[in-house]
Amino acid sequence: MPAHRKYFTPEEEKEALRAAVLRYKRTPKGFLTRLYAAMKHRTTNPHPRKAHLYKGKELLPKEDFNAWVEETYEEFKSLFDNYVDSGFEMRLAPPIDRIDSEVGYVIGNIRWCTHSENSKHRKGGWKWKKNQ
């Protein structure tokens, strides 16, 4: 074995892996990969309290998602750049919004928005009104 090779403890290895995953998540490709995985998880294995929102909803195939991203990339990139410039503030992360919550993640029913805009659009979400 070369003398210059450094060996990591299991804790150092875990930390290095966590750092690598975080770096990847903060790239456009990594962000989009995790976004699609989250949509897939919500439609195939929703949390029991949110099952009524996602169970049985259609999810466009990965190839169609990638084609849609290519078509809307400038809009995504602008939102993603704002997210990066903010220091990765969650409220500026660009999620995909379902225009009609009764329909799944399909072309014609999805759009880019900010996390804040998406939260305001939630069906049945409460609205806080000042001085009331």
Side-chain angles (χ1 to χ4, degrees):
M1 290 278 168
H4 66 280
R5 186 166 181 167
K6 178 170 175 22
Y7 292 94
F8 295 103
T9 65
E11 294 78 25
E12 290 171 326
E13 212 170 294
K14 280 183 187 176
E15 187 54 40
L17 181 59
R18 263 188 238 121
V21 168
L22 181 59
R23 281 192 306 274
Y24 179 68
K25 285 174 19 179
R26 291 181 170 183
T27 66
K29 183 178 180 182
F31 185 87
L32 290 166
T33 298
R34 288 182 47 88
L35 186 64
Y36 187 83
M39 291 187 310
K40 185 175 182 179
H41 180 77
R42 282 193 294 270
T43 56
T44 58
N45 189 21
H47 188 278
R49 287 187 294 189
K50 295 186 177 187
H52 66 285
L53 298 172
Y54 300 105
K55 193 164 181 93
K57 300 289 193 270
E58 186 177 352
L59 173 65
L60 69 163
K62 179 85 174 192
E63 303 78 38
D64 293 349
F65 174 74
N66 290 337
W68 179 78
V69 167
E70 282 185 35
E71 291 172 17
T72 62
Y73 192 75
E74 291 304 315
E75 188 177 356
F76 164 74
K77 188 69 168 110
S78 174
L79 289 166
F80 187 79
D81 288 345
N82 288 339
Y83 175 54
V84 171
D85 292 345
S86 75
F88 301 97
E89 284 186 44
M90 194 59 189
R91 67 183 182 83
L92 294 177
I96 291 180
D97 179 40
R98 290 181 298 144
I99 297 164
D100 179 352
S101 61
E102 299 298 317
V103 180
Y105 293 100
V106 294
I107 301 297
N109 192 49
I110 53 177
R111 64 181 171 195
W112 294 111
C113 64
T114 64
H115 184 76
S116 297
E117 291 168 337
N118 196 17
S119 296
K120 291 175 191 171
H121 181 250
R122 286 189 182 141
K123 181 179 179 180
W126 60 273
K127 301 240 187 286
W128 180 80
K129 294 184 179 179
K130 193 173 181 180
N131 297 328
Q132 290 189 2

